[in-house]
Structure formats: structure tokens, C-alpha cells
Amino acid sequence: MRVQRLSLSTMTAITITTMLVFAVAMIYHGVSWYADNVQERAIATLSPDAARAFSDIDRGVMPDQQQLRALLEVLPRVQNAADDELVASVFVFGLIGVLLCSLLGYIISRRIAAPLRELTRAAQRMAAGDFSGGEKVKANRIVEIVFLVDSFESLKQELQMMERRLKFNTMAVAHELRTPLTILQGRLHGIADDIFPLDKQAIRHLIVQVEGLARLVDDLRTLSLAETNSLVKDIEPLDLAAECAAVTEAARPLLDEAGIRLDLSLEPAPVSGDRQRLRQLLLILIDNVRRYAASGKSLRCSTGIRDGQPFIAIEDRGPGFPPGVEAHGIELFWRTEPSRARTTGGTGLGLSIARAIAQAHNSDMQIAAAQDGGTVVTILFKAPS
């Protein structure tokens, strides 16, 4: 059975109405009970003749003149005393009603605010650096609080993921920087101690390591731009077919050198995007084929419209990705084969950058095995509006 949820304004109106009804009912029944009690005590103070006259009048019988005269003599005094007591009773029962309504309102408000207190404590723990947030906050039936709790839980999970990624990325960056820095440090110490000669070959070797560090820093900068949503700036109407033709033509000499045959199947695919970043994405995917799938001797680049969505597909005949690439593709410095990590000259950030560029264009990068072996990387863009 689905629990009916109320908005905060509706819950507040219900609470106030409930308290008002309770207060009015409390005063009405209290004063009615006290009025009966006042009447009984007033009759008890009357003389026998006055009491008899009051009883006859109450029964609808005409009392004796002497008895009626006795009643009329004391009636103003008794009436004034009874009126004063009734006014006092209204004040007393009104005060009791206010106190009880305040207690009821306090209890209800605490129940409404209970999730907010838990959220406050969880936020304080997160501010202190504990992103676990403790147990999940239990929401009540108020729509706004349910939405707030759900948003907080989403934020907590996102922060937990960011914390794990930050720790992993920090360790990965440190690991990747350690090797070239160690080589540079050892080579420079060797040159300073006259163990290695300072010749052009040694300088070229040092330059190679410095260039590797420069590529790594540049790739990390690109990913940092993606994290701050600053990766894509110049949006303009583009045709993916034209961009693929330009990029593959520029990369053709490198592909020919690697013995890779280029096959193009380019159909119009209009999108809105950043020309420089989209070309960077294509170069990354093509360069991945050149580095890791040259044994397949084939690269197919196709564009077009699929189910109303523009797409780019890069297909090779290489060894393919191992299972779990979808999980590793967003991790920094992940390589399909660690043993060849640096022999190919890559930083291990290619897939991460490609995916970041795709996501910056509100598109989806899919990696799948080709039917005849190899890998197909497909970028699906949103249908043009």
C-alpha cells in the first residue's frame, strides 16, 4: 500500500486546524461542565423559599408569591457571582487549551523536524570530513522533506564516489609520476657524478622523459577542465562526417606507417559541439587503434543517424578489450595490458579524456566487442531538437 505524502503547507494547515478545533472543544466542554457546577452551588446557597421558587420555575410551575419574592431578592447577587465564575472559567479553560495545544504543536513539530535534525548531524559529519554520513536518514510523509532527504542521500553517494576517485587518482598520479621522475633523477645524478657522459644521446633520453611528463600534465589538465564543466566552450553546428574525414586524413600518414588500412563510411550526422574537442576525441580513439590494435591492420570509421541519434563509430580488428572495460574506462591510467604500459608512449588517460569529452557533449560513449573480433567504440549524440 502506497503511503500518502503531504506537502509542508498542507501538514501545517492540518496541524493548526487540529489545534484550533481541540482548543475550542476543550473550552466549550470545560465551561459547560463548570456552568452546571456553578448552578448547583448557587442553588445550594439559596434560602428554602428561594430554592423552592427556583425549583417551581424550573419545572414550569408558578411559585408562591412569598417564595418568588425571596428568590428575586437574592437573584441579582447570585447571578453576578455566577457570571464572574463563568468568566473566570473561560479564562482558565482557555489557558489550559493553549498549554495543551502548545504541547501538541511541540510534539508534532518535533516529529516533522526529526529528519532535519538527522540531516544536520549528517551534514556536520560531512563538514568534518566524514562522507559516510552514517545510517540513511528516515524521511516522514512530508513531500519537501522526502525530496530533501533523497537529494541529501544522492549528494552523500556522489561525495563518497568523489572521495574514492580522489584517493585513487592521487595514488595513480603519484605512481605515474614516480617512474619518469626516478629516471630523470638517476640520470641527472649519474651525469653529475660523471658516471654517464653529458652527450646528445643522454640529453635526448632526458627530453623523452620530460615530454612524457608534459603529456601527462596536459592530459590531467584536460580532465580537471571536465570536472569543472569547462571542457567544452565553443559550441557550433557541425557535421560528424566532415569532422571524421578531416581527422582521418590528418592521421592517415601515421596509420599507413603502422600498416593499418583505413575504411570510411561517412553519412551526414549534424550535431552541435566543440570542433576542437570532438577532433581531439577522434584522434584519441584513432591513436588507440594505432597503438594497441595495429595487429588487426584495419580501422573503420563510420558516421550517420541511428534511431534518430547522430553517431560516430570507430571499429578495429585488434585483440579487443578484456571484460570489464566499461568499469575501467573511466579510471585514470587504466591500460588493457600493464606490461606494455609505457612502451607505447601513452599516459593511460586516453579513454578517460574521450569519455569526458563525450559526456561534455551530453553523449554516451559505448565500448563493445566487434562481431568479427576487435572493438567498436560508439559515440551516440542526442537527437537534434
Side-chain angles (χ1 to χ4, degrees):
M1 182 179 178
R2 186 175 180 179
V3 178
Q4 182 68 31
R5 292 173 178 171
L6 303 174
S7 66
L8 183 59
S9 58
T10 302
M11 178 59 74
T12 302
I14 292 175
T15 302
I16 294 174
T17 303
T18 302
M19 289 190 295
L20 288 175
V21 171
F22 178 80
V24 171
M26 177 75 186
I27 295 172
Y28 173 78
H29 290 289
V31 172
S32 297
W33 169 81
Y34 194 75
D36 293 338
N37 185 267
V38 168
Q39 181 177 334
E40 292 177 358
R41 286 189 288 107
I43 294 174
T45 61
L46 296 176
S47 63
D49 288 342
R52 181 62 183 272
F54 182 86
S55 177
D56 290 341
I57 294 174
D58 188 52
R59 290 185 292 107
V61 177
M62 184 63 184
D64 181 75
Q65 290 185 357
Q66 182 180 353
Q67 296 174 348
L68 180 59
R69 191 180 300 108
L71 176 62
L72 293 175
E73 290 176 356
V74 299
L75 185 60
R77 176 181 58 79
V78 173
Q79 185 68 39
N80 290 335
D83 289 343
D84 292 340
E85 289 194 40
L86 285 177
V87 171
S89 69
V90 171
F91 176 78
V92 171
F93 285 107
L95 181 61
I96 294 174
V98 169
L99 294 177
L100 291 178
C101 286
S102 299
L103 178 61
L104 178 62
Y106 176 75
I107 294 173
I108 295 176
S109 62
R110 279 186 60 87
R111 290 181 62 86
I112 294 175
L116 300 180
R117 290 194 298 271
E118 295 183 31
L119 284 176
T120 301
R121 289 192 290 267
Q124 289 173 344
R125 289 194 295 269
M126 292 170 64
D130 179 12
F131 296 114
S132 63
E135 297 181 358
K136 183 177 180 179
V137 178
K138 296 180 180 179
N140 49 33
R141 298 183 182 181
I142 298 178
V143 174
E144 289 86 352
I145 293 181
V146 171
F147 178 77
L148 178 62
V149 170
D150 290 342
S151 300
F152 180 83
E153 290 298 323
S154 298
L155 175 63
K156 183 176 70 175
Q157 294 175 7
E158 184 66 24
L159 289 175
Q160 290 172 351
M161 183 179 298
M162 290 179 61
E163 183 184 32
R164 289 194 296 268
R165 288 176 59 185
L166 178 61
K167 290 180 180 178
F168 172 82
N169 294 347
T170 302
M171 292 186 295
V173 170
H175 175 75
E176 292 296 320
L177 291 175
R178 184 182 298 115
T179 298
L181 288 176
T182 301
I183 294 175
L184 283 171
Q185 185 180 27
R187 182 66 64 171
L188 290 172
H189 276 303
I191 292 173
D193 296 337
D194 295 327
I195 298 175
F196 302 119
L198 182 58
D199 52 19
K200 289 185 177 180
Q201 183 62 29
I203 293 176
R204 290 192 188 97
H205 185 77
L206 294 176
I207 289 175
V208 169
Q209 299 301 323
V210 172
E211 288 176 344
L213 286 173
R215 286 196 302 271
L216 179 60
V217 171
D218 189 58
D219 287 347
L220 288 172
R221 178 181 175 277
T222 301
L223 289 174
S224 68
L225 290 175
E227 291 293 335
T228 57
N229 296 322
S230 304
L231 189 58
V232 172
K233 294 183 178 179
D234 301 322
I235 303 295
E236 57 182 315
L238 301 173
D239 187 353
L240 296 178
E243 300 307 317
C244 280
V247 172
T248 53
E249 186 62 29
R252 190 180 292 274
L254 293 176
L255 296 175
D256 292 341
E257 182 182 346
I260 299 175
R261 178 176 56 84
L262 181 61
D263 181 18
L264 298 178
S265 176
L266 305 179
E267 296 181 4
V271 298
S272 294
D274 187 316
R275 186 187 305 274
Q276 179 182 355
R277 291 303 183 187
L278 287 177
R279 290 189 174 188
Q280 182 182 7
L281 183 153
L282 287 168
L283 282 173
I284 289 172
L285 298 180
I286 292 173
D287 193 54
N288 265 0
V289 175
R290 183 183 68 84
R291 292 179 187 277
Y292 305 119
S295 59
K297 304 297 181 181
S298 174
L299 185 152
R300 177 180 174 82
C301 180
S302 57
T303 62
I305 306 293
R306 180 185 301 171
D307 297 329
Q309 293 182 272
F311 75 92
I312 303 172
I314 304 293
E315 181 178 354
D316 64 65
R317 304 288 184 183
F321 285 98
V325 65
E326 284 296 334
H328 293 288
I330 59 173
E331 294 181 2
L332 301 188
F333 308 108
W334 181 81
R335 299 176 174 90
T336 59
E337 187 180 336
S339 62
R340 66 179 185 185
R342 293 180 180 83
T343 60
T344 59
T347 62
L349 298 175
L351 282 178
S352 297
I353 294 175
R355 186 182 292 273
I357 294 174
Q359 290 177 342
H361 286 83
N362 293 322
S363 59
D364 182 26
M365 187 173 85
Q366 301 173 353
I367 302 175
Q371 292 181 354
D372 300 327
T375 303
V376 180
V377 180
T378 305
I379 313 296
L380 279 175
F381 294 79
K382 284 189 175 181
S385 55

